[in-house]
Amino acid sequence: MLERAAGVSLTLNGAPARLAAPPLERLSQALREHGGLTGVKVGCDAGDCGACTVLVDGEPVCSCLTAVGQIEGCAVETIEGLSPGEDVVGRLQRAFHVHGAAQCGVCTPAMLLAATALLRRNPRPSEMQTQDALSGVLCRCTGYRKIIDAVIDAQGLAGEALPVPPDAAAVGLRLPRLDGAIKISGAEIFGADAWPTDALLARAIRSPHHHARFFLGDIEAFQRAHAGVAAVFTAEDVPGENRFGVIRPFADQPVLAEGVVRFRGEAVALVVGEEGAMRALDLSFFPVTWDILPALTALDEATAPDAAPIHPLRPGNVLTGGRVVRGDVETGLATADVSVEGEFETAFVEHAYIEPEAGFARRVADRIEIQACTQAPYMDRDDIAKILGIAPQRVRIIPTAVGGGFGSKLDLSVQPFIALAAWLLGRPVRMVYSRTESIMSTTKRHPAAIRAKIGATRDGRLTAMDFVADFNTGAYASWGPTVANRVPVHASGPYRMPHYRARTRAIHTHLVPAGAFRGFGVPQSAIAQEQLLDELAIKLDLDPLEFRILNALEAGDATVTGQVFKEGVGFKACLEALRPGWRKAREAARVFNAAAKGPLRRGVGVAGMWYGCGNTSLPNPSTMRLGLKPDGRLTLFQGAVDIGQGSNTVIPQICADAIGAPLALFDLASADTDTTPDCGKTSASRQTFVSGNAAFLAGQAMRRTILRLANVGEEAAIRFEAGFVVIEGAGGERRVNLSALSLNASGFVAEVQETFDPPTTPLDEDGQGEPYAVFGYGAHLAAVEVDVELGRVKVLRLICSHDVGRAINPTLVEGQIQGGAAQGLGMALMEEFVPGKGENLHDYLIPSIGDMPPVESILIEDPSSIGPFGAKGIGEQALIPTAPAILNAIRHATGVRVKHTPATPDRLRAAILALRNENGNG
Ligand code: FES
Ligand code: FES
């Protein structure tokens, strides 16, 4: 904690203090490491993300850009020092909690500090003033709208105690997150926030080249020359398999490269030592030489007939492919009166969660324990066991809070390094990725090259679609097979498509591995398919929204895999819900453009989506355990990692109602591979649907168990009182004294465990079958304003309608929709990662608070009989239609069809000029 003898004097969180740190040290570092104030988050160390915001003399500053020496005599406030007793703080915290303004929560301390500074000087800020005041802090989860709402709403709130869950049925209520209080206090522990005091620090030596042979020099001499370095590990030190990968049959990525690197950022060695020495160490002195080899970085280079294979057993650099065929696509296109075709390209997209990967590992006797940020604790456990050459039961994964994941934290990052070092050294080892390291080495959204053709009859009915896509999967497999298999099932969109052929390939290049990112390739295919549908509507002179409604898939229709859902297909309702807004916005754009004299033009676009919840035709179980304690409280062992989406709240809501118990009685035992059963990974929009179903079944089983205690039938009602359950049945009321019952080994008077695995069937060689038990559906409307001279696009408004089956918690569903829409907006307009360039958050742009327009969410509830209380997933669904809706709006405003995303100003300006030239208006 704070030392009294050395450093600078300041007022810290209201009390005089001395901060014992060198004057040139970053204030963020000093507050976290010396002051123990880990509510100060570090997302970039470069002044880009604002997560490190603290108040210095009442003003928000980036503490990563402030030297300790600069704060002598200043008053510094961190989230830990904000007192709910201060009126402004109490109101803000309550408003953030009630509005669901904290999702993962890693940006929340900074947002609250910036908002506190604003409200202290201006108790009634406007929306614009709020956006200005918070503009220095990035949030990747929320889409900012609930944060803005919270700050504005805080004006009218009293700073009273946070609301508690009600006694009534919980499903369908706008309940604040059960884990919300800790998020707004800044006390939540993320990957970098906890470490044993004797932990060593690990840093990786990474390739600066896309493809190279490497030669290690005299490592012992390096170690001798650098005091404090405890060990250097290379591939030879890996005791088990030097391979990992999320899909076992494709596992191909070495923990530490063996003589050759296949992407820039690949690790070749790990240096481990005492914290201070490691921070000071200049890794450029590490003895390694590189023999640069030709790199295949583009899809056409990697698939050229003479391209050298990146992996010997994958000829043509094809990792794998996918295929769905229905009907006869040639005949279908031949019978079309009108057809359109196009080629589209999308970019690498970086996840840009605000929390870089971090954690620590320690050896406990013959076991290894890892506490790190992850979306997939059981998958981590099994892969680490293979790497160390030990049984999975000897690995314990304790996920920390996750400061955003969006798919990338399904893959291993720091875990193999810290596990290896802690295992071999017998001391705890900690690792925290820098922003650059995170961007250069972790998975991305696959860039895609797509060619597609769609036909329709004169009266607007779709006849056929032919779709071909290559996805740049980078150097190692990661989730490439999943993308290749999922896209052909989805590439038609949720439309009746009598004849269909979709073929995909995942192609290796010498670039950073592409993996899972919200939608597994479907956002890319929707950019092509929804833009072509728009072209088709234009060609047929049909209203684009009505054209989609005409072709919308409905209950009883066959999908392109031949699957027929008899209920729960709410896509048409999603489109119809947009109709009033669509007509108004199109008319407003027409009037605006008719009067426009300057360079601004307005447009309105629409796009639809569907997304299958869970794995594609593969087992996908979740298991929930539930115990009843003698005091009448219930413990839910919930291994579904909440990465901000809200499963820590939604799943207990489902379980509570399945029993008929108040949510307030629930205690949550969060994911820990030693104590919680396997709930699978947090991905593919599966947790509400799959783990929610497991919780529903566990709740029902507990209810039956309780009824058996009283020996009454299923129709009896249950009431919980302190230490008792009261059962009212036909025979009257029975009170069961829980403290009189015997306890099992876990200390419960009753315990149940239930599993749910969604019913699917394998796909045949034509991709026919039932790949998902449930799809979610949605449609977005985007209104944009384009500066046709500068090529700049401003999104004015989004209306997002989603069929979620049943909104278990509408506030959290809206949060997912707004956050997904923000990421879709970024994908459409600004996000493009170029390996080797822009490995930071000032070159790689994500939407800031000023980029997000108002978002209207419309929740359609067309229940699925297989979903818990009818619920479907929403996580990935929310992102998919935003980009194509924006691109269709740009087409409406300018006449330009964007073929290469993102539609950056330079690209759009060039396309506008090209169109003018084509039309002879150059
Ligand atoms: S950590 Fe300081 S701005 Fe990102
Ligand atoms: S809630 Fe803002 S980054 Fe996650």
Side-chain angles (χ1 to χ4, degrees), residues 666-755:
F666 273 71
D667 298 315
L668 206 60
S670 293
D672 174 341
T673 55
D674 269 12
T675 56
T676 54
D678 188 358
C679 274
K681 59 201 188 302
T682 294
S683 77
S685 303
R686 61 178 293 284
Q687 292 298 21
T688 297
F689 171 54
V690 182
S691 297
N693 252 322
F696 179 80
L697 294 175
Q700 286 192 319
M702 180 58 80
R703 181 181 154 75
R704 285 194 298 273
T705 305
I706 290 170
L707 293 176
R708 269 201 303 274
L709 291 175
N711 210 15
V712 295
E714 298 244 334
E715 64 298 336
I718 295 177
R719 199 170 73 242
F720 287 78
E721 291 177 1
F724 290 86
V725 282
V726 183
I727 297 151
E728 286 177 68
E733 186 176 288
R734 272 207 56 192
R735 291 169 65 79
V736 178
N737 182 354
L738 296 174
S739 60
L741 301 177
S742 55
L743 302 181
N744 70 9
S746 306
F748 296 120
V749 294
E751 186 174 355
V752 296
Q753 181 163 304
E754 292 291 328
T755 297

Side-chain angles (χ1 to χ4, degrees), residues 260-342:
V260 63
V261 287
R262 298 181 179 85
F263 74 96
R264 178 184 152 83
E266 184 163 3
V268 300
L270 189 71
V271 185
V272 185
E274 301 297 336
E275 181 108 22
M278 288 302 297
R279 286 191 190 280
L281 188 63
D282 183 347
L283 293 181
S284 66
F285 290 114
F286 186 81
V288 57
T289 52
W290 308 95
D291 174 15
I292 301 172
L293 298 170
L296 303 169
T297 57
L299 283 168
D300 54 355
E301 291 170 1
T303 52
D306 58 348
I310 294 169
H311 297 276
L313 299 180
R314 293 177 186 158
N317 289 316
V318 177
L319 166 65
T320 186
R323 180 175 183 272
V324 170
V325 177
R326 185 161 181 80
D328 178 348
V329 77
E330 270 79 24
T331 305
L333 287 170
T335 55
D337 297 312
V338 178
S339 67
V340 292
E341 57 187 307

